[in-house]
Amino acid sequence: MEDLSRDLLELRAATKQFADTEVRPVAHTLHLKDEQIPDPMLAKMREMGFFGLLSSPEHGGLGLGAMAVAVVTEELSAAWFSVGALPARNWALAVLLEKFGTPDQKEKWLPKIVSGELQAAHSGTEPEAGSDAGNIKTMAYLKNGTYSIHGAKQWCTHANRADIISTFVRTSKESKHGGISLLLVEKPRGEDFVPPKLTGARLETIGYHGMHSYQLFFDGYEVRQENLLGGVEGKAFRQLMAVYELARMQFAFRCIGLAREAYEHAVSYAQQRVQFGQPIAQFQAIRHKLADMATQIEAARQLGYMVARKMDAGLRVDLEAGMVKLFASEMAHRVCHEAVQIHGGNGFAIETPVNRFWRDSGLCTIGEGTSEIQREVIARRLLGER
Ligand SMILES: Cc1cc2nc3c(=O)[nH]c(=O)nc-3n(C[C@H](O)[C@H](O)[C@H](O)COP(=O)(O)OP(=O)(O)OC[C@H]3O[C@@H](n4cnc5c(N)ncnc54)[C@H](O)[C@@H]3O)c2cc1C
């Protein structure tokens, strides 16, 4: 099952070593304290070059492809789901800037996004626009070269620590999707935001604690016209399409890493926990669960590799990216549930790591397009409707 190139094996080994020494030993304690990924850990992720995996060397990146994203994401997510999620924002914004940015936008932001010096967040979702992303109401009014933003956003992860938030705004009410633009909203770091024009309120969650998510309230926050991605209004949907495939494939590998860690904890517990005079791994009911878990993880991984390889070959993979996001997220849900079940009552205790995996897995079928939406996207393509 090991069909990775030598370079990818080396990258995986280096990432695993980083995860084993810097992330895994502290992840559970930080989760229990509801603390975010610490600044020194983030700094070491920058030193490792994780934020520049995809970008071209011209902009300071490593120029590695989608397979590198897959391998790194699995290792980081196995150590802590939140850490595997962290670089995704910079990766997506770097791709957007490389593909659509004006020369000035590239020069100003790309090297700092690629190095991780600037942290990115993305804000699309609103109270009344989740799956129906085109239903956003947040308006950006242009006057004298400055956009004034008014509206409420929901679920902006990493908003407090981000320096730049790629924000879906409506620049025209005339067309649902065609009236939406991507503004690159600069802001200082911190929980205070910029009151009263930009304020934020944290949304507390049962898991995914390393990154906090926020409601954002824009009340006349101003952004210069040159922060409009690509310099032309109404292009946000087309621009975001360019990163959907990457985002879904990357999200799938977060789920795969999480499920793998849950499975490994389940194996070790099943070998140690003795009931009726023998390790519970000897009971067919338990060992067959382990067999199913391992099989499903491997199936998701191979589907994910297929998607990433096609991406690296420049092929269209919107259908397959939806499939792997759907399959891996539901697989992670099942595997984390079974890992708790194998731990019995101990799995229900907050102190037990599998309890964290199970909590984190709650996000898998919701974030980056719900399972229901993925099925719809897949069905539409299968039925030739798009
Ligand atoms: C922890 C967390 C972090 C997040 N981070 C970010 C972020 O950084 N940036 C960002 O922009 N967003 C973020 N999100 C938002 C996330 O993308 C949305 O929650 C997701 O898209 C679903 O939208 P919703 O929650 O409004 O649910 P809704 O769209 O209201 O859906 C509710 C239910 O209805 C179903 N449904 C909706 N429409 C259909 C349909 N047409 N057919 C069938 N079923 C349907 C859904 O599948 C779901 O089961 C985050 C969410 C969470 C929970």
Side-chain angles (χ1 to χ4, degrees):
M1 287 192 264
E2 284 293 14
D3 56 352
L4 299 178
S5 68
R6 178 191 284 262
D7 285 352
L8 285 171
L9 287 172
E10 283 174 8
L11 178 66
R12 188 175 70 177
T15 310
K16 182 168 167 27
Q17 194 188 6
F18 170 81
D20 284 346
T21 51
E22 305 292 341
V23 185
R24 199 170 266 105
V26 293
H28 198 58
T29 307
L30 292 169
H31 158 81
L32 291 175
K33 291 185 184 165
D34 195 11
E35 283 185 15
Q36 297 173 97
I37 295 163
D39 281 334
M41 192 187 289
L42 206 152
K44 283 182 185 142
M45 291 175 76
R46 286 187 55 196
E47 278 169 32
M48 291 290 292
F50 290 140
F51 293 98
L53 268 192
L54 267 176
S55 298
S56 61
E58 182 198 341
H59 301 297
L62 298 174
L64 304 173
M67 276 298 286
V69 166
V71 163
V72 165
T73 300
E74 179 178 335
E75 290 308 323
L76 295 180
S77 305
W80 195 7
F81 189 58
S82 307
V83 170
L86 180 66
R89 284 147 191 79
N90 280 48
W91 289 337
L93 186 52
V95 171
L96 286 171
L97 283 166
E98 284 196 32
K99 283 200 173 178
F100 305 108
T102 63
D104 285 348
Q105 289 172 345
K106 286 184 188 171
E107 191 186 325
K108 181 175 175 191
W109 287 308
L110 249 181
K112 290 180 180 169
I113 293 289
V114 168
S115 72
E117 179 183 337
L118 290 181
Q119 287 293 302
H122 174 70
S123 188
T125 307
E126 294 187 1
E128 291 172 51
S131 303
D132 188 5
N135 196 38
I136 63 156
K137 305 273 192 293
T138 296
M139 290 296 304
Y141 302 100
L142 181 62
K143 196 175 170 190
N144 299 330
T146 300
Y147 283 103
S148 168
I149 310 176
H150 297 261
K153 290 283 176 186
Q154 188 92 343
W155 292 119
C156 181
T157 302
H158 206 46
N160 56 334
R161 303 176 84 185
D163 307 283
I164 184 164
I165 304 179
S166 56
T167 308
F168 249 31
V169 292
R170 184 163 289 290
T171 43
S172 160
K173 288 183 182 168
E174 300 203 342
S175 149
K176 185 175 177 182
H177 293 92
I180 300 178
S181 305
L182 253 184
L183 275 186
L184 304 177
V185 174
E186 294 169 284
K187 57 164 273 296
R189 288 190 191 182
E191 303 291 323
D192 291 339
F193 297 92
V194 193
K197 292 186 171 180
L198 174 59
T199 50
R202 188 182 165 203
L203 295 159
E204 293 202 11
T205 52
I206 62 157
Y208 195 39
H209 284 173
M211 299 178 83
H212 293 169
S213 300
Y214 291 80
Q215 287 179 299
L216 296 177
F217 306 98
F218 290 92
D219 189 9
Y221 193 65
E222 290 179 344
V223 172
R224 282 174 303 173
Q225 187 176 7
E226 59 251 37
N227 287 28
L228 172 69
L229 182 68
V232 181
E233 290 185 356
K235 302 285 180 204
F237 260 87
R238 201 175 61 81
Q239 291 165 341
L240 273 193
M241 287 298 157
V243 288
Y244 270 156
E245 294 175 356
L246 170 71
R248 288 180 180 162
M249 182 280 289
Q250 198 270 344
F251 197 99
F253 276 94
R254 293 188 217 169
C255 300
I256 292 163
L258 177 66
R260 185 188 93 191
E261 190 80 357
Y263 160 77
E264 285 173 3
H265 278 252
V267 169
S268 142
Y269 189 83
Q271 286 172 327
Q272 286 162 27
R273 174 71 175 168
V274 173
Q275 288 292 283
F276 300 97
Q278 54 183 323
I280 59 171
Q282 295 306 312
F283 300 124
Q284 192 181 64
I286 299 294
R287 58 200 289 124
H288 285 192
K289 276 191 202 300
L290 296 173
D292 285 346
M293 289 157 83
T295 305
Q296 291 172 37
I297 293 166
E298 193 58 41
R301 185 183 290 119
Q302 295 305 327
L303 181 57
Y305 283 168
M306 183 270 278
V307 174
R309 287 192 173 110
K310 280 191 168 182
M311 288 177 74
D312 283 338
L315 300 171
R316 177 181 174 178
V317 284
D318 55 338
L319 173 66
E320 297 89 335
M323 286 174 168
V324 74
K325 198 279 164 181
L326 172 66
F327 185 75
S329 60
E330 298 199 340
M331 175 281 291
H333 228 272
R334 283 192 301 274
V335 166
C336 291
H337 169 78
E338 291 293 44
V340 167
Q341 188 68 19
I342 288 170
H343 280 69
N346 287 334
F348 202 59
I350 289 172
E351 291 292 327
T352 311
V354 287
N355 191 271
R356 164 167 58 101
F357 310 145
W358 175 72
R359 283 164 175 255
D360 285 351
S361 78
L363 180 62
C364 294
T365 54
I366 295 171
E368 204 53 60
T370 64
S371 282
E372 291 77 9
I373 294 297
Q374 299 302 337
R375 284 197 169 82
E376 197 47 37
V377 169
I378 293 165
R380 262 187 240 145
R381 279 274 274 115
L382 295 178
L383 297 169
E385 293 169 1
R386 195 200 282 173

